[in-house]
Amino acid sequence: MSVTAAKGFTAAGIAAGIKENGNPDLALVVNNGPRRAAAGVFTSNRVKAAPVLWSEQVLRGGEVSAVVLNSGGANACTGPQGFQDTHATAEKVAAVLNQGGPEDHSAGEIAVASTGLIGLLLPMDKVLAGVEKAAGELSAHGGEKAAIAIKTTDSVHKTAVAEGEGWTVGGMAKGAGMLAPGLATMLVVLTTDADLESATLDKALRDATRQTFDRVDSDGCMSTNDTVLLLASGASEITPRYEEFADAVRTVCDDLARQLIGDAEGASKDIRIEVINAATEDDAVEVGRSIARNNLLKCAIHGEDPNWGRVLSAIGTTRAAFEPDALNVAINGIWVCRGGSVGEDRELVDMRYREVKITADLSAGSESAVIWANDLTADYVHENSAYSS
Amino acid sequence: MSVTAAKGFTAAGIAAGIKENGNPDLALVVNNGPRRAAAGVFTSNRVKAAPVLWSEQVLRGGEVSAVVLNSGGANACTGPQGFQDTHATAEKVAAVLNQGGPEDHSAGEIAVASTGLIGLLLPMDKVLAGVEKAAGELSAHGGEKAAIAIKTTDSVHKTAVAEGEGWTVGGMAKGAGMLAPGLATMLVVLTTDADLESATLDKALRDATRQTFDRVDSDGCMSTNDTVLLLASGASEITPRYEEFADAVRTVCDDLARQLIGDAEGASKDIRIEVINAATEDDAVEVGRSIARNNLLKCAIHGEDPNWGRVLSAIGTTRAAFEPDALNVAINGIWVCRGGSVGEDRELVDMRYREVKITADLSAGSESAVIWANDLTADYVHENSAYSS
């Protein structure tokens, strides 16, 4: 499972002491080749953390030999010192990986990812010592430990895998809050032993994230640190057909995205919003996102109240093509709104289970999209009002 | 105070039995002239309640002789029957006002406004009997009772007044949730005895709402029923200078908007977000709104946590002109973020009081804007998860 499911990768997860509670907080993933092609997708937030600025630069080269990730601090909004710290971390990884072997790791091919509180410098003595410790524990079975070390408020670690014919895609993710489009405080590392060029990896990764992570909208907040990386070792010596590979990457991303929603901070419901009969896919996504972000609706779902008026209210704020009196809305299969007005009896809607399905029929075309969201709960407020203090 | 502060107006507020708890739920405001010029601003939500569709049509004529408002039901998403009900209500108001006098009221000059739950038809027998009862209680001192009758989850009724030289602008408002740009589940009626054309009223009202109600963003949710009306009786026989009049309208709107924020459902903090040194006013508003809608920040403010990283995160999602490393943020006067990084000690920020001031300095120009928001609390979740069930 995880990032060591594919051949050619080793990983480790250790406690470096960045987190005050002593929990694991530093992960290292190394691509042992023979190939090092890579692709990455980063937050679209214009306020980007130092490791995002660094890793974007690394990915421009199309090759990544290792990824170092830490929880316990986002290294965001930390100025020039924060960027120097990221650079120093990459240099340290290259140095320890080169010890006792050929000097084939350079900092310029080491991606860095951080997650945790914004506005704090990392304790670099602990980070650098942690890198050394992690390098000593690298193992072809280290994927699980790496996934555990990147948790912040996650209640469980998240891994997934998809098998091709003779090749594998595996991955790990962390994220439990600030889940929103353009990704989230979400760190994801995917690995594969397929033998592919970075341009192919990039296309497969962008196609997958657009339909998976980008359609997860737990709380409408977009982070400064979101990073999704895909590393290919080529160790299987197989070059799969693009469609097969892209499908496997999407499967792993979808699996991880669902795990993120299922573990969102303080949530009691996972809401699957399907927008159907839209004029365009963009319309479907815009409408789905508007519904996903409506705090009043999110509260109603928490209260198991099939309040379809709030769905219509949310649809009405979009620019999508629709006529108000042609809108239909189903909640858990009951069409409580038909023709923009009262439909089936709302008392028929059973909302006892964690998953709630909202279907919004725009009657304007044949495109569709699914957006995942969470309800809004008192627990969410409690977790996020006490997080840094 | 309220809508009867200006000469030429009578009003009433009564319990028609629309609300099951027997509280006042129907208000009538009558313009006794000699003039009937009027202007209106309505929700920009594309899903509009029947009374909004009706009143938009009425306002096209530029004259309003009376406004009937009900709480206890929004008459939104109620199809053709809902629109017929609104029409019948206006006809009833015209009929009872014409009783025993010259037949100078026509339904086409009667504005209708409703607030309450979406998706329910109004109990028309009660509404029509209520109109009759309200007409019998019309009084030049009825403004207060009218303001009380339009409350839904409001904890207090809201009125305001501004005096010119020999003329007056007064008003009432209701709204405690779904407060968002393009107005809110917000009903506002303003009256004046100034003698002005409807085009002048329209300009003054749009200028005022743009800078007041449109910049109140309690929970990011935009309603189907928002209505702001301005009626002029001309009873003072004075035509004030435009600037003086517009200033008075803005003063009353600003006063009422602040009362709405101060009474927002479940809120424990009023957040004044001032964006300064923006390249354009639009940029300042976009950034202010993005900060106002960030659930993670709203939770942090609730927890009295000066979490400026979440402010930067919100700014970063906008298209406004700025450089990340030139952003400065103050919370209650302490510049906790300077140059996009750590500034003054966050321990210096005192957040014990209800009002919290966030200043976001974009260092990109000289424009500014103020947006008002509320924090996100467990009480908000409770109120809105149990509202209809």
Side-chain angles (χ1 to χ4, degrees):
Chain A
M1 294 291 280
S2 188
V3 289
T4 47
K7 289 189 289 287
F9 293 91
T10 50
I14 59 118
I18 308 168
K19 286 180 180 164
E20 286 183 7
N21 63 9
N23 283 344
D25 50 18
L26 192 136
L28 187 58
V29 181
V30 178
N31 182 351
N32 301 298
R35 303 283 298 268
R36 290 177 176 176
V41 175
F42 300 92
T43 182
S44 53
N45 198 310
R46 290 168 59 201
V47 175
K48 295 179 203 299
V52 168
L53 295 170
W54 172 267
S55 298
E56 281 184 334
Q57 188 61 39
V58 168
L59 265 297
R60 275 190 203 110
E63 299 213 329
V64 169
S65 68
V67 187
V68 57
L69 310 95
N70 75 275
S71 52
N75 196 6
C77 306
T78 44
Q81 184 63 48
F83 192 80
Q84 283 174 35
D85 288 348
T86 292
H87 184 182
T89 305
E91 291 283 1
K92 180 72 178 177
V93 171
V96 298
L97 293 181
N98 286 335
Q99 273 170 15
E103 299 219 346
D104 65 353
H105 290 276
S106 85
E109 290 183 2
I110 312 285
V112 183
S114 300
T115 178
L117 264 185
I118 296 175
L120 293 177
L121 288 168
L122 291 173
M124 284 306 292
D125 50 338
K126 291 174 179 166
V127 170
L128 299 181
V131 167
E132 201 140 347
K133 185 175 169 194
E137 298 189 13
L138 284 168
S139 145
H141 307 287
E144 211 76 15
K145 283 192 174 172
I148 291 168
I150 58 175
K151 284 170 58 185
T152 53
T153 56
D154 306 63
S155 69
V156 291
H157 64 285
K158 289 128 187 146
T159 65
V161 69
E163 300 281 353
E165 292 190 19
W167 53 272
T168 298
V169 177
M172 65 178 184
K174 91 101 215 170
M178 291 177 81
L179 292 177
L183 314 178
T185 297
M186 190 181 77
L187 304 185
V188 178
V189 180
L190 307 174
T191 56
T192 182
D193 46 20
D195 187 2
L196 293 162
E197 300 297 321
S198 66
T200 309
L201 300 176
D202 188 69
K203 179 162 164 42
L205 185 62
R206 281 177 200 281
D207 282 355
T209 55
R210 190 179 67 83
Q211 290 183 43
T212 57
F213 297 119
D214 273 354
R215 295 192 183 171
V216 158
D217 202 332
S218 171
D219 66 3
C221 297
M222 193 197 301
S223 137
T224 50
N225 287 60
D226 306 323
T227 300
V228 182
L229 301 174
L230 171 56
L231 279 54
S233 69
S236 72
E237 296 180 2
I238 294 171
T239 301
R241 282 199 311 120
Y242 176 76
E243 288 70 22
E244 278 175 37
F245 179 71
D247 197 49
V249 172
R250 190 164 47 242
T251 299
V252 171
C253 288
D254 197 43
D255 189 337
L256 293 172
R258 285 284 294 113
Q259 293 182 50
L260 292 174
I261 275 288
D263 193 30
E265 283 172 359
S268 73
K269 301 282 188 193
D270 301 341
I271 312 173
R272 181 183 191 275
I273 301 158
E274 182 166 22
V275 181
I276 61 172
N277 298 324
T280 65
E281 188 181 351
D282 283 352
D283 273 10
V285 171
E286 183 187 353
V287 167
R289 229 186 259 312
S290 178
I291 296 170
R293 292 181 171 189
N294 189 283
N295 277 354
L296 288 167
L297 176 66
K298 286 157 72 87
C299 288
I301 299 297
H302 176 53
E304 304 191 343
D305 169 12
N307 198 326
W308 58 268
R310 292 177 180 173
V311 178
L312 257 65
S313 227
I315 297 173
T317 64
T318 69
R319 297 156 303 178
F322 70 84
E323 290 303 323
D325 59 6
L327 294 172
N328 307 303
V329 174
I331 300 180
N332 283 349
I334 306 297
W335 289 92
V336 284
C337 169
R338 282 194 189 279
S341 184
V342 186
E344 291 178 61
D345 186 354
R346 41 168 284 152
E347 299 298 326
L348 298 175
V349 181
D350 182 354
M351 298 181 71
R352 287 172 298 170
Y353 301 99
R354 183 172 174 106
E355 187 169 318
V356 174
K357 289 185 187 178
I358 296 177
T359 313
D361 174 3
L362 302 188
S363 306
S366 57
E367 297 296 321
S368 65
V370 172
I371 300 280
W372 282 93
N374 290 108
D375 59 343
L376 185 54
T377 71
D379 284 347
Y380 175 89
V381 174
H382 291 148
E383 283 208 37
N384 289 298
S385 59
Y387 182 51
S388 87
S389 42
Chain B
M1 295 292 281
S2 187
V3 289
T4 48
K7 290 189 290 285
F9 292 91
T10 50
I14 58 116
I18 308 167
K19 285 180 182 165
E20 286 183 6
N21 63 10
N23 282 345
D25 50 19
L26 191 137
L28 187 58
V29 181
V30 178
N31 181 353
N32 302 297
R35 304 282 298 268
R36 290 179 175 173
V41 175
F42 300 91
T43 182
S44 52
N45 198 309
R46 291 167 59 201
V47 175
K48 295 178 203 296
V52 168
L53 295 170
W54 171 266
S55 299
E56 280 183 335
Q57 188 62 36
V58 168
L59 265 295
R60 275 190 202 110
E63 299 213 327
V64 169
S65 69
V67 187
V68 57
L69 311 95
N70 76 274
S71 52
N75 197 6
C77 307
T78 45
Q81 184 62 49
F83 192 80
Q84 283 173 36
D85 288 348
T86 292
H87 183 182
T89 306
E91 291 284 3
K92 179 72 177 178
V93 171
V96 298
L97 292 180
N98 286 334
Q99 272 168 15
E103 298 219 346
D104 64 355
H105 290 275
S106 86
E109 291 183 1
I110 312 286
V112 182
S114 300
T115 177
L117 263 186
I118 296 175
L120 293 177
L121 288 167
L122 291 173
M124 285 306 292
D125 51 336
K126 292 174 179 167
V127 170
L128 299 180
V131 166
E132 202 141 346
K133 184 175 170 196
E137 297 188 15
L138 283 168
S139 148
H141 306 287
E144 210 77 14
K145 282 192 175 171
I148 291 167
I150 58 175
K151 284 170 58 184
T152 52
T153 55
D154 305 64
S155 68
V156 293
H157 64 285
K158 289 125 187 150
T159 66
V161 69
E163 300 281 353
E165 293 191 17
W167 54 273
T168 297
V169 178
M172 65 179 184
K174 92 100 215 169
M178 290 178 81
L179 293 175
L183 313 176
T185 298
M186 190 179 77
L187 304 184
V188 178
V189 180
L190 307 175
T191 57
T192 181
D193 45 20
D195 187 2
L196 293 163
E197 301 295 324
S198 66
T200 309
L201 299 176
D202 188 69
K203 179 163 164 41
L205 186 62
R206 281 177 200 282
D207 282 356
T209 55
R210 190 178 66 83
Q211 290 182 42
T212 56
F213 296 119
D214 272 353
R215 295 191 183 172
V216 159
D217 202 332
S218 173
D219 66 4
C221 298
M222 192 196 301
S223 137
T224 50
N225 286 59
D226 306 323
T227 301
V228 183
L229 300 173
L230 171 57
L231 279 55
S233 69
S236 71
E237 298 180 0
I238 293 171
T239 301
R241 282 198 311 119
Y242 175 77
E243 288 71 21
E244 279 175 38
F245 179 71
D247 198 49
V249 173
R250 191 164 45 241
T251 298
V252 171
C253 288
D254 197 43
D255 190 336
L256 292 172
R258 285 283 294 114
Q259 292 181 51
L260 292 176
I261 275 287
D263 193 28
E265 282 171 0
S268 72
K269 303 282 186 191
D270 302 342
I271 312 173
R272 182 184 193 276
I273 300 158
E274 183 167 21
V275 181
I276 62 172
N277 298 323
T280 66
E281 188 180 349
D282 283 351
D283 273 9
V285 171
E286 184 188 352
V287 168
R289 226 184 263 310
S290 177
I291 297 170
R293 292 180 171 190
N294 189 282
N295 278 354
L296 287 168
L297 177 66
K298 287 158 72 87
C299 287
I301 299 296
H302 176 53
E304 304 191 342
D305 168 13
N307 196 325
W308 58 268
R310 292 176 180 173
V311 178
L312 256 65
S313 225
I315 298 173
T317 64
T318 69
R319 297 156 304 179
F322 70 83
E323 290 301 324
D325 60 4
L327 295 171
N328 306 303
V329 174
I331 301 179
N332 283 350
I334 307 296
W335 290 93
V336 283
C337 168
R338 281 194 189 280
S341 181
V342 187
E344 291 179 63
D345 186 356
R346 41 169 285 154
E347 300 297 326
L348 299 173
V349 181
D350 182 355
M351 299 182 70
R352 286 171 299 171
Y353 302 101
R354 183 172 174 105
E355 188 169 317
V356 174
K357 289 185 187 177
I358 296 176
T359 313
D361 175 1
L362 302 188
S363 306
S366 56
E367 297 297 320
S368 65
V370 172
I371 301 281
W372 282 92
N374 290 110
D375 57 343
L376 185 55
T377 71
D379 285 348
Y380 175 90
V381 174
H382 292 148
E383 284 208 37
N384 289 298
S385 58
Y387 182 51
S388 85
S389 42

